[in-house]
């Protein structure tokens, strides 16, 4: 049972991967796809989208060796991406995620 659930989750997460600028970046799905996934409470698509974003941000924090997520809630992160996609509907969550990392880095420096 656990193996089949894991296989489904891996396939869903992989479905969010597309190449960008010659580099494969997981999560470059469109903002329309983000909004669609977020509009489905409890769905695997929503879980996949949210898990991708939190994983990306956690990975960037580790790679940058910066505690950019300190004091930030899950809802704040999801709300930020929701707003980004509403304001930039032709963008994608990969681009939005990099912008979010930049904003979180600026906030972190301001806290010091």
């Amino acid at each position: 049972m656990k193996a089949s659930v894991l296989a489904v989750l891996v396939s869903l997460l992989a479905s969010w991967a597309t190449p960008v600028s010659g580099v494969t970046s997981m999560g470059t799905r469109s903002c329309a796809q983000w909004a669609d996934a977020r509009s489905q409470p409890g769905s695997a698509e929503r879980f996949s989208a949210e898990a991708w974003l939190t994983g990306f941000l956690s990975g960037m924090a580790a790679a940058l060796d910066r505690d950019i997520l300190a004091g930030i809630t899950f809802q704040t992160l999801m709300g930020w991406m929701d707003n980004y996609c509403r304001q930039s509907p032709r963008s994608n969550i990969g681009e939005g995620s990099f912008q979010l990392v930049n904003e979180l880095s600026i906030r972190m420096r301001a806290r010091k």
Side-chain angles (χ1 to χ4, degrees):
M1 173 72 171
K2 287 183 183 179
S4 61
V5 170
L6 180 60
V8 169
L9 289 176
V10 168
S11 67
L12 284 170
L13 290 172
S15 72
W16 284 73
T18 55
V20 155
S21 304
V23 175
T24 299
S25 174
M26 302 299 193
T28 53
R29 293 296 179 163
S30 71
C31 277
Q33 290 168 312
W34 169 267
D36 182 56
R38 290 274 293 156
S39 71
Q40 302 173 42
S43 72
E45 277 293 314
R46 182 172 177 154
F47 173 79
S48 176
E50 293 172 346
W52 183 89
L53 179 59
T54 55
F56 177 87
L57 295 171
S58 296
M60 288 298 293
L64 297 169
D65 195 25
R66 293 185 194 150
D67 195 11
I68 60 174
L69 297 174
I72 305 294
T73 67
F74 175 83
Q75 292 304 326
T76 298
L77 298 173
M78 298 305 113
W80 189 98
M81 187 60 72
D82 290 341
N83 289 334
Y84 172 83
C85 283
R86 268 193 297 278
Q87 294 171 2
S88 307
R90 294 183 184 201
S91 189
N92 62 63
I93 65 169
E95 292 172 7
S97 297
F98 279 112
Q99 288 190 25
L100 179 52
V101 167
N102 286 337
E103 281 195 26
L104 293 170
S105 294
I106 291 167
R107 286 184 193 177
M108 185 197 80
R109 286 191 294 265
R111 287 191 310 257
K112 290 185 175 185

